[in-house]
Amino acid sequence: CALLLTSSAAVEAFLPSGGTPGKLKKDLIDPVKKTSAGALAGQLVAATLNVEFDAYGALDALKGKDGVKLADLVYVGGVDDALLGKTVAEVLELANGVISKELAVPVDVDGDGSGDVGYADLAEALTVLNENFDDGLVDNGNLELP
């Protein structure tokens, strides 16, 4: 399943999106505010925008090192222990996998055969990402260089 936002107006109508984190039950185009994926969908959209704007260079003026990309930063706090040491890109990939039902939940992130993180854990990790550098003025210390 997938969620498609076709314009900036569609993004504005969708965010913020809340509710219990979960998976998408069907493909959606330009939903307004709430989906079956709840806060996971909203945080994933916001995180994806943050990472893509940064990759494009739109956030470079707010950074001390413009060669450092948000997707490459590593989680060092504020998230489930199983996600510590994962890059932002890896967590985005996990979140996309669970929201679309490509990955079973809970997700086995350490390869030991047992599930480690669920929808709420991934929604929280994306929230941590989205709030870690609030307005480019704050660093909550949850993300660091690899």
Side-chain angles (χ1 to χ4, degrees):
C1 293
L3 178 130
L4 176 64
L5 299 169
T6 61
S7 67
S8 59
V11 171
E12 189 174 354
F14 181 66
L15 294 176
S17 179
T20 302
K23 62 187 173 200
L24 293 172
K25 293 182 180 175
K26 62 181 181 176
D27 289 340
L28 298 170
I29 298 174
D30 297 335
V32 177
K33 296 289 181 210
K34 199 169 182 180
T35 70
S36 59
L40 179 56
Q43 292 298 331
L44 182 54
V45 167
T48 300
L49 287 170
N50 284 328
V51 167
E52 291 301 319
F53 281 138
D54 181 56
Y56 180 72
L59 306 178
D60 287 353
L62 299 172
K63 300 186 302 189
K65 297 178 181 180
D66 61 10
V68 174
K69 295 302 176 192
L70 187 57
D72 298 330
L73 297 181
V74 174
Y75 282 90
V76 295
V79 297
D80 185 278
D81 287 349
L83 296 174
L84 294 174
K86 298 288 183 201
T87 66
V88 166
E90 289 170 327
V91 171
L92 280 172
E93 185 176 341
L94 289 170
N96 275 302
V98 301
I99 203 169
S100 66
K101 301 189 282 189
E102 291 176 19
L103 294 174
V105 175
V107 180
D108 176 17
V109 296
D110 60 10
D112 68 358
S114 77
D116 301 305
V117 295
Y119 301 113
D121 300 315
L122 291 166
E124 180 59 29
L126 296 174
T127 301
V128 165
L129 163 63
N130 291 328
E131 295 177 355
N132 196 72
F133 302 110
D134 196 24
D135 290 328
L137 305 172
V138 175
D139 180 352
N140 292 329
N142 294 310
L143 298 165
E144 291 184 357
L145 294 169

